[in-house]
């Protein structure tokens, strides 16, 4: 049975979409069957894999609002073993349209549950908010990865996200757990970056991934070419770190 992992943090600019694209690609290149779900109206995970959102006939929006079957909306990508449930800007309106639905927090869970056995990992890229679509993602997920940027305000807002996770565990998804905190945009030359890593470890211990994602120009360039970094530059530090992260997650999954 596949594992569903949401990548969430309501703080913008921490590397959620970058992590979603590159972790999904790294898992797929490690022999895993992967579905990436773009649950962000900005659709950056969709365009970052070289797929034009406006050209898609069906997306996560139709699956959530019109009960369109997810299997029919899934498309292939440039990475063998990686499929995508894409997004478009109209997902912005789904928040309001879901309000009228029965069990509105469980719509995504019910939509993707039939596909769970077809994948080893289902990765959900969440929007930078704690709105109803993110609540749907966390209700559907087995676990959540929380990217944290290596900067001064790194821990700002995490308590709010952790409180949301506690509420969802209590009311909607008792099995939800934190897969790990992932330090992103890490520059080992900066004392501040090392201090933040130590602070995270002090707060959250083994829940912090050993892998850190470095500041790397190739990671930044890859989306403009519609490619994950492992295809854009297979030898760069960004590729190495995401492959290490994939192996760390696979190892954790085998333990649990």
């Amino acid at each position: 049975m596949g594992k569903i992992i949401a990548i969430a943090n309501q703080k913008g600019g921490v590397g959620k979409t970058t992590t979603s694209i590159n972790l999904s690609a790294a898992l797929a290149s490690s022999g895993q069957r992967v579905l990436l779900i773009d649950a962000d109206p900005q659709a950056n995970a969709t365009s970052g894999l070289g797929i034009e959102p406006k050209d898609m006939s069906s997306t996560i929006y139709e699956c959530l609002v019109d009960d369109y079957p997810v299997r029919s909306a899934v498309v292939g990508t440039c990475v063998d073993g990686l499929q995508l449930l894409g997004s478009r800007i109209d997902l912005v309106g789904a928040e309001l349209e879901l309000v009228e639905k029965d069990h509105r927090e469980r719509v995504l869970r019910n939509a993707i549950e039939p596909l769970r056995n077809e994948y080893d990992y289902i990765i959900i890229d969440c929007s930078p908010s704690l709105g109803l679509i993110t609540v749907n993602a966390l209700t559907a997920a087995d676990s959540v990865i929380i990217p944290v940027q290596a900067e001064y305000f790194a821990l700002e807002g995490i308590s709010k996200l952790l409180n949301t996770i506690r509420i969802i565990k209590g009311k909607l998804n008792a099995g939800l757990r934190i897969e790990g905190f992932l330090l992103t945009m890490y520059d080992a030359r900066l004392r501040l970056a090392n201090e933040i890593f130590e602070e995270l470890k002090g707060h959250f211990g083994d829940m912090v991934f050993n892998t850190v994602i470095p500041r790397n120009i190739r990671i930044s360039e890859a989306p403009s070419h519609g490619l994950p970094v492992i295809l854009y530059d297979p030898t760069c530090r960004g590729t190495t770190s995401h492959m290490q992260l994939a192996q760390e997650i696979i190892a954790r999954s085998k333990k649990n």
Side-chain angles (χ1 to χ4, degrees), residues 96-115:
L96 291 174
E97 295 178 74
L98 284 174
V99 168
E100 303 298 323
K101 285 205 167 217
D102 293 334
H103 308 295
R104 61 192 181 190
E105 300 91 352
R106 294 185 169 89
V107 175
L108 181 59
R109 180 179 191 164
N110 294 336
I112 63 177
E113 198 63 33
L115 279 75

Side-chain angles (χ1 to χ4, degrees), residues 13-15 19 147-151 154 182-201 208-217 219-220 237-238 241-242 244:
V14 298
T19 300
V148 180
Q149 189 176 356
E151 62 167 26
L182 175 67
L183 196 63
T184 62
M185 304 177 206
Y186 178 79
D187 188 338
R189 298 169 300 177
L190 300 179
R191 188 176 69 182
L192 177 62
N194 292 295
E195 287 174 354
I196 289 167
F197 185 63
E198 293 306 318
E199 189 174 355
L200 267 180
K201 278 282 193 185
V208 180
F209 286 107
N210 293 321
T211 303
V212 298
I213 306 301
R215 279 197 180 276
N216 180 250
I217 190 65
I219 294 177
S220 302
R237 288 191 305 133
S241 62
H242 283 99
Q244 288 172 344

Side-chain angles (χ1 to χ4, degrees), residues 14-250:
V14 298
K16 286 186 298 296
T17 298
T18 299
T19 300
S20 298
I21 292 171
N22 292 309
L23 171 59
S24 297
L27 286 167
S29 71
S30 300
Q32 307 297 305
R33 300 166 301 162
V34 184
L35 173 64
L36 173 58
I37 297 177
D38 189 348
D40 186 345
Q42 296 177 80
N44 289 334
T46 302
S47 60
L49 284 169
I51 296 166
E52 181 56 56
K54 66 179 175 17
D55 292 341
M56 300 191 77
S57 59
S58 52
T59 66
I60 186 175
Y61 173 83
E62 285 79 13
C63 298
L64 292 176
V65 174
D66 301 327
D67 300 321
Y68 190 81
V70 170
R71 190 178 282 106
S72 300
V74 165
V75 297
T77 72
C78 53
V79 182
D80 288 342
L82 172 59
Q83 294 185 307
L84 172 75
L85 175 59
S87 180
R88 275 197 309 257
I89 189 63
D90 28 359
L91 188 60
V92 169
E95 295 266 346
L96 291 174
E97 295 178 74
L98 284 174
V99 168
E100 303 298 323
K101 285 205 167 217
D102 293 334
H103 308 295
R104 61 192 181 190
E105 300 91 352
R106 294 185 169 89
V107 175
L108 181 59
R109 180 179 191 164
N110 294 336
I112 63 177
E113 198 63 33
L115 279 75
R116 190 191 270 263
N117 289 332
E118 298 177 22
Y119 300 96
D120 298 303
Y121 292 92
I122 297 176
I123 307 294
I124 308 175
D125 180 32
C126 296
S127 65
S129 75
L130 294 177
L132 187 52
I133 294 174
T134 298
V135 169
N136 262 266
L138 294 174
T139 302
D142 299 309
S143 62
V144 55
I145 291 174
I146 303 172
V148 180
Q149 189 176 356
E151 62 167 26
Y152 183 68
F153 293 112
L155 302 181
E156 187 181 78
I158 284 182
S159 60
K160 189 174 181 182
L161 176 60
L162 294 179
N163 189 51
T164 299
I165 291 170
R166 274 193 294 272
I167 291 169
I168 288 171
K169 275 178 68 80
K171 296 185 175 180
L172 296 166
N173 182 5
L176 181 64
R177 64 181 189 80
I178 294 173
E179 185 75 25
F181 292 84
L182 175 67
L183 196 63
T184 62
M185 304 177 206
Y186 178 79
D187 188 338
R189 298 169 300 177
L190 300 179
R191 188 176 69 182
L192 177 62
N194 292 295
E195 287 174 354
I196 289 167
F197 185 63
E198 293 306 318
E199 189 174 355
L200 267 180
K201 278 282 193 185
H203 272 87
F204 302 111
D206 290 342
M207 286 195 290
V208 180
F209 286 107
N210 293 321
T211 303
V212 298
I213 306 301
R215 279 197 180 276
N216 180 250
I217 190 65
R218 309 305 268 174
I219 294 177
S220 302
E221 291 172 349
S224 66
H225 296 268
L227 293 170
V229 72
I230 66 166
L231 293 184
Y232 181 63
D233 187 344
T235 62
C236 73
R237 288 191 305 133
T239 292
T240 302
S241 62
H242 283 99
M243 291 301 295
Q244 288 172 344
L245 177 62
Q247 292 307 314
E248 197 170 344
I249 287 170
I250 292 167

